[in-house]
Amino acid sequence: MKQTYVSQLQDHVGQEVTVRGWLYNSRIKGKIVFLLVRDGTGTVQSVVSQGEVAPPTWEAANQATQESSLSVTGTVRADARAPGGHELSVKGIEVHQLVTGEYPITPKEHGVDFLMRHRHLWLRSKRQHAILRVRATIVRAIRDYFDGLGFLLVDAPIFTPAACEGTTTLFEVGYFDEKAYLTQSGQLYMEAAAMAHGKVYCFGPTFRAEKSKTRRHLTEFWMVEPEVAYAELDDVMELAQGLVCRIVGDVLARHREDLAVLERDPAPLSRVVPPFPRISYDEAVRLLAEKGHVVEPGNDFGAPDETAISEHFDRPVLVHRYPAQVKAFYMKPDPADPTKALCVDMIAPEGYGEIVGGGQRADSLLYLEQRIAEHRLPKEAFEWYLDLRKYGSVPHGGFGLGVERTVAWICGIEHVRETIPFPRMLYKIYP
Ligand code: 4AD
Ligand code: MG
């Protein structure tokens, strides 16, 4: 079907075009009807004058209801006052499906549960449209960044025989006569791939059976996980900083209008430039104490602690060397203080919490065997992983960046549920 997209109208001023889309809104003013038609690339005001169209067209314009699908044919006019800068003087309308009955999502306020149950329709509204556009650019920025640095994309499996990030958030699935788990992270496989290709990354969905309802947790989320052979903790921090700068830069360059729709102030994003502050866990604990937050010795930070840390800085902050006991089994202990792990979390500004977790991996066979036993992980399932320490072990490291938390921060959205097309959360799997 021949059609012109709203985003291309500037190339067709004075010409007759057909825009195919859905009716976002309409206003009737005497002998003129204003149809706001959206087609996915934008919205155009289409003006129907009773005196200039055939009676059936005039009737169609008056009867069209919200979200009816239609094609409008008319002449493109530049008009600075019109939304988007262009307007259509309509000659003809073809209604594909007339919506009878009220469209569930009206301009009035709906509760979030209602909107979530109508997620398949909610996606059409302006804010949701803007968020998914920004998300797509973030995904592209991630790929461009790693591809540009010579990383090889290596896909990790979804069915896995064992836990990577602790046994409490595993989704168990039947796998013929065995049990399997949905992947929590592709990291261990990327470690194998890094020993084959040097610099690799995987990028895909990961699963956590999170029993808590928070605004930062999904049960299915997307994570990018680079892994680099011959890398140490500082290299990992540098790589993560570069990635986040690239993401923010690309969004600022391409999505000013979408950020405006989201009422997201771009000023704090403009401050996301290197170098990011780097503080140790111990320094963060002292900073928190000054702000009246007590962290029990050796404990991880809670969400309010992360918010307090982020408020102290104007850009993302890298917090390194957490107590080894609160971190995963694969972390390398700090030779200067083995109670600490050579790990790093990046905490986003403005209270959006941890967006990156990673670090340097334990490269000693003996140490890993001990940790696997301490964590009561099934050794058989990790034999292959231990092989990596038997055959050419090297210092290496990497991290995972969660796409949804990154989108939430950059778009300035309270809850991660709006940052993924169809969110999966505790007891929520519809639509
Ligand atoms: O800190 P995490 O658990 O780290 C790992 O999985 C490492 N194996 C990554 C690696 O080193 N290759 O998760 C990394 C990031 C978090 O910082 C967060 O952004 C995101 O993944 N994340 C979640 N996002 C949404 N919902 C959840 N339940 C998440 N859990 C982690
Ligand atoms: Mg983490």
Side-chain angles (χ1 to χ4, degrees), residues 144-173:
D144 288 348
Y145 176 73
F146 288 115
D147 293 347
L149 290 175
F151 281 63
L152 188 75
L153 173 69
V154 177
D155 303 310
I158 303 277
F159 286 130
T160 59
C164 174
E165 294 298 322
T167 49
T168 56
T169 63
L170 281 174
F171 274 113
E172 192 178 298
V173 288

Short mmCIF file of all heavy atoms in Angstrom, two decimals, residues 144-173:
data_model
loop_
_atom_site.label_atom_id
_atom_site.label_comp_id
_atom_site.label_asym_id
_atom_site.label_seq_id
_atom_site.Cartn_x
_atom_site.Cartn_y
_atom_site.Cartn_z
N ASP A 144 26.55 -0.67 19.17
CA ASP A 144 27.54 0.13 18.44
C ASP A 144 28.81 0.31 19.26
O ASP A 144 29.93 0.27 18.73
CB ASP A 144 26.96 1.51 18.09
CG ASP A 144 25.90 1.43 17.00
OD1 ASP A 144 25.79 0.35 16.37
OD2 ASP A 144 25.19 2.43 16.78
N TYR A 145 28.64 0.53 20.56
CA TYR A 145 29.81 0.74 21.43
C TYR A 145 30.72 -0.49 21.42
O TYR A 145 31.91 -0.38 21.14
CB TYR A 145 29.32 1.05 22.84
CG TYR A 145 30.42 1.20 23.87
CD1 TYR A 145 31.22 2.34 23.90
CD2 TYR A 145 30.62 0.22 24.85
CE1 TYR A 145 32.23 2.50 24.86
CE2 TYR A 145 31.61 0.37 25.82
CZ TYR A 145 32.41 1.51 25.82
OH TYR A 145 33.39 1.66 26.78
N PHE A 146 30.14 -1.65 21.68
CA PHE A 146 30.99 -2.85 21.75
C PHE A 146 31.52 -3.26 20.38
O PHE A 146 32.67 -3.64 20.24
CB PHE A 146 30.25 -3.99 22.45
CG PHE A 146 30.11 -3.75 23.93
CD1 PHE A 146 28.87 -3.57 24.51
CD2 PHE A 146 31.24 -3.66 24.74
CE1 PHE A 146 28.75 -3.31 25.87
CE2 PHE A 146 31.13 -3.41 26.10
CZ PHE A 146 29.88 -3.23 26.66
N ASP A 147 30.67 -3.17 19.37
CA ASP A 147 31.13 -3.53 18.02
C ASP A 147 32.29 -2.62 17.62
O ASP A 147 33.28 -3.06 17.04
CB ASP A 147 29.99 -3.43 17.01
CG ASP A 147 28.90 -4.48 17.26
OD1 ASP A 147 29.15 -5.42 18.05
OD2 ASP A 147 27.80 -4.35 16.69
N GLY A 148 32.15 -1.32 17.96
CA GLY A 148 33.18 -0.34 17.61
C GLY A 148 34.51 -0.61 18.31
O GLY A 148 35.57 -0.24 17.80
N LEU A 149 34.44 -1.23 19.47
CA LEU A 149 35.66 -1.54 20.21
C LEU A 149 36.22 -2.92 19.84
O LEU A 149 37.17 -3.40 20.45
CB LEU A 149 35.40 -1.49 21.72
CG LEU A 149 35.15 -0.11 22.34
CD1 LEU A 149 34.80 -0.24 23.82
CD2 LEU A 149 36.38 0.80 22.18
N GLY A 150 35.61 -3.56 18.86
CA GLY A 150 36.13 -4.85 18.40
C GLY A 150 35.70 -6.04 19.24
O GLY A 150 36.34 -7.10 19.20
N PHE A 151 34.61 -5.89 19.99
CA PHE A 151 34.08 -7.04 20.74
C PHE A 151 33.30 -7.94 19.80
O PHE A 151 32.67 -7.45 18.85
CB PHE A 151 33.12 -6.57 21.85
CG PHE A 151 33.82 -6.06 23.08
CD1 PHE A 151 34.64 -4.94 23.03
CD2 PHE A 151 33.64 -6.69 24.31
CE1 PHE A 151 35.29 -4.47 24.18
CE2 PHE A 151 34.28 -6.23 25.46
CZ PHE A 151 35.10 -5.12 25.39
N LEU A 152 33.31 -9.23 20.09
CA LEU A 152 32.51 -10.17 19.30
C LEU A 152 31.21 -10.48 20.06
O LEU A 152 31.25 -10.79 21.25
CB LEU A 152 33.30 -11.47 19.08
CG LEU A 152 32.62 -12.45 18.12
CD1 LEU A 152 32.77 -11.97 16.68
CD2 LEU A 152 33.21 -13.85 18.28
N LEU A 153 30.10 -10.38 19.35
CA LEU A 153 28.81 -10.75 19.96
C LEU A 153 28.72 -12.27 20.01
O LEU A 153 28.83 -12.95 18.99
CB LEU A 153 27.66 -10.20 19.11
CG LEU A 153 26.25 -10.63 19.53
CD1 LEU A 153 25.86 -10.02 20.88
CD2 LEU A 153 25.24 -10.26 18.47
N VAL A 154 28.54 -12.81 21.20
CA VAL A 154 28.42 -14.26 21.40
C VAL A 154 27.15 -14.51 22.21
O VAL A 154 27.01 -13.97 23.31
CB VAL A 154 29.64 -14.81 22.18
CG1 VAL A 154 29.48 -16.30 22.44
CG2 VAL A 154 30.94 -14.56 21.41
N ASP A 155 26.22 -15.27 21.68
CA ASP A 155 24.95 -15.46 22.38
C ASP A 155 25.08 -16.53 23.46
O ASP A 155 25.66 -17.58 23.25
CB ASP A 155 23.86 -15.85 21.38
CG ASP A 155 23.72 -14.80 20.30
OD1 ASP A 155 23.61 -13.61 20.66
OD2 ASP A 155 23.75 -15.14 19.09
N ALA A 156 24.53 -16.23 24.62
CA ALA A 156 24.56 -17.18 25.75
C ALA A 156 23.26 -17.98 25.76
O ALA A 156 22.24 -17.51 25.27
CB ALA A 156 24.72 -16.41 27.05
N PRO A 157 23.30 -19.19 26.33
CA PRO A 157 22.06 -19.99 26.37
C PRO A 157 21.07 -19.45 27.41
O PRO A 157 21.45 -18.77 28.34
CB PRO A 157 22.56 -21.38 26.79
CG PRO A 157 23.79 -21.10 27.59
CD PRO A 157 24.42 -19.89 26.97
N ILE A 158 19.81 -19.81 27.19
CA ILE A 158 18.74 -19.42 28.13
C ILE A 158 18.51 -20.55 29.15
O ILE A 158 18.32 -20.31 30.33
CB ILE A 158 17.42 -19.15 27.36
CG1 ILE A 158 17.62 -18.07 26.30
CG2 ILE A 158 16.29 -18.82 28.32
CD1 ILE A 158 17.54 -16.66 26.74
N PHE A 159 18.48 -21.80 28.68
CA PHE A 159 18.39 -22.95 29.60
C PHE A 159 19.77 -23.20 30.18
O PHE A 159 20.74 -23.34 29.43
CB PHE A 159 18.03 -24.23 28.83
CG PHE A 159 16.62 -24.32 28.37
CD1 PHE A 159 16.34 -24.64 27.04
CD2 PHE A 159 15.55 -24.15 29.24
CE1 PHE A 159 15.03 -24.77 26.59
CE2 PHE A 159 14.24 -24.28 28.80
CZ PHE A 159 13.98 -24.59 27.48
N THR A 160 19.86 -23.25 31.50
CA THR A 160 21.18 -23.50 32.10
C THR A 160 21.06 -24.59 33.17
O THR A 160 19.99 -24.77 33.77
CB THR A 160 21.75 -22.23 32.76
OG1 THR A 160 20.84 -21.77 33.77
CG2 THR A 160 21.94 -21.13 31.74
N PRO A 161 22.18 -25.30 33.42
CA PRO A 161 22.11 -26.37 34.41
C PRO A 161 22.32 -25.88 35.85
O PRO A 161 22.16 -26.67 36.78
CB PRO A 161 23.26 -27.30 33.98
CG PRO A 161 24.23 -26.42 33.28
CD PRO A 161 23.46 -25.29 32.68
N ALA A 162 22.72 -24.60 36.04
CA ALA A 162 23.06 -24.18 37.41
C ALA A 162 22.90 -22.68 37.59
O ALA A 162 22.73 -21.92 36.64
CB ALA A 162 24.51 -24.57 37.70
N ALA A 163 22.98 -22.26 38.87
CA ALA A 163 22.84 -20.85 39.21
C ALA A 163 24.12 -20.09 38.91
O ALA A 163 25.20 -20.64 38.97
CB ALA A 163 22.52 -20.71 40.70
N CYS A 164 23.97 -18.80 38.59
CA CYS A 164 25.14 -17.94 38.45
C CYS A 164 25.10 -16.89 39.54
O CYS A 164 26.10 -16.56 40.17
CB CYS A 164 25.13 -17.29 37.07
SG CYS A 164 26.41 -16.07 36.80
N GLU A 165 23.90 -16.35 39.80
CA GLU A 165 23.77 -15.23 40.74
C GLU A 165 23.00 -15.62 42.00
O GLU A 165 22.10 -14.92 42.42
CB GLU A 165 23.07 -14.07 40.03
CG GLU A 165 23.87 -13.46 38.90
CD GLU A 165 25.19 -12.85 39.36
OE1 GLU A 165 25.21 -12.25 40.45
OE2 GLU A 165 26.18 -13.01 38.64
N GLY A 166 23.34 -16.77 42.58
CA GLY A 166 22.66 -17.16 43.82
C GLY A 166 21.44 -17.99 43.53
O GLY A 166 20.78 -17.83 42.51
N THR A 167 21.14 -18.89 44.49
CA THR A 167 20.10 -19.89 44.24
C THR A 167 18.70 -19.40 44.60
O THR A 167 17.72 -20.09 44.31
CB THR A 167 20.40 -21.15 45.06
OG1 THR A 167 20.68 -20.74 46.40
CG2 THR A 167 21.60 -21.90 44.51
N THR A 168 18.57 -18.22 45.20
CA THR A 168 17.25 -17.80 45.67
C THR A 168 16.37 -17.23 44.56
O THR A 168 15.17 -17.13 44.74
CB THR A 168 17.36 -16.74 46.78
OG1 THR A 168 18.14 -15.65 46.27
CG2 THR A 168 17.98 -17.29 48.03
N THR A 169 16.95 -16.88 43.42
CA THR A 169 16.12 -16.27 42.37
C THR A 169 16.10 -17.09 41.09
O THR A 169 16.01 -16.56 39.99
CB THR A 169 16.60 -14.84 42.04
OG1 THR A 169 17.94 -14.92 41.52
CG2 THR A 169 16.58 -13.93 43.24
N LEU A 170 16.16 -18.42 41.27
CA LEU A 170 16.17 -19.29 40.08
C LEU A 170 14.75 -19.67 39.64
O LEU A 170 13.92 -20.03 40.46
CB LEU A 170 16.91 -20.58 40.41
CG LEU A 170 18.43 -20.55 40.39
CD1 LEU A 170 18.96 -21.89 40.88
CD2 LEU A 170 18.95 -20.26 38.99
N PHE A 171 14.51 -19.61 38.37
CA PHE A 171 13.29 -20.17 37.79
C PHE A 171 13.62 -21.58 37.32
O PHE A 171 14.45 -21.76 36.43
CB PHE A 171 12.83 -19.37 36.58
CG PHE A 171 11.97 -18.19 36.92
CD1 PHE A 171 12.44 -16.90 36.70
CD2 PHE A 171 10.70 -18.37 37.46
CE1 PHE A 171 11.64 -15.81 37.01
CE2 PHE A 171 9.90 -17.28 37.76
CZ PHE A 171 10.38 -16.00 37.54
N GLU A 172 12.93 -22.55 37.92
CA GLU A 172 13.21 -23.93 37.55
C GLU A 172 12.26 -24.34 36.45
O GLU A 172 11.07 -24.00 36.49
CB GLU A 172 12.96 -24.79 38.79
CG GLU A 172 13.47 -26.19 38.67
CD GLU A 172 13.22 -26.97 39.97
OE1 GLU A 172 13.77 -26.56 41.02
OE2 GLU A 172 12.47 -27.94 39.90
N VAL A 173 12.78 -25.07 35.48
CA VAL A 173 11.91 -25.59 34.43
C VAL A 173 12.25 -27.06 34.21
O VAL A 173 13.37 -27.49 34.46
CB VAL A 173 12.08 -24.83 33.09
CG1 VAL A 173 11.48 -23.45 33.17
CG2 VAL A 173 13.53 -24.73 32.66
#
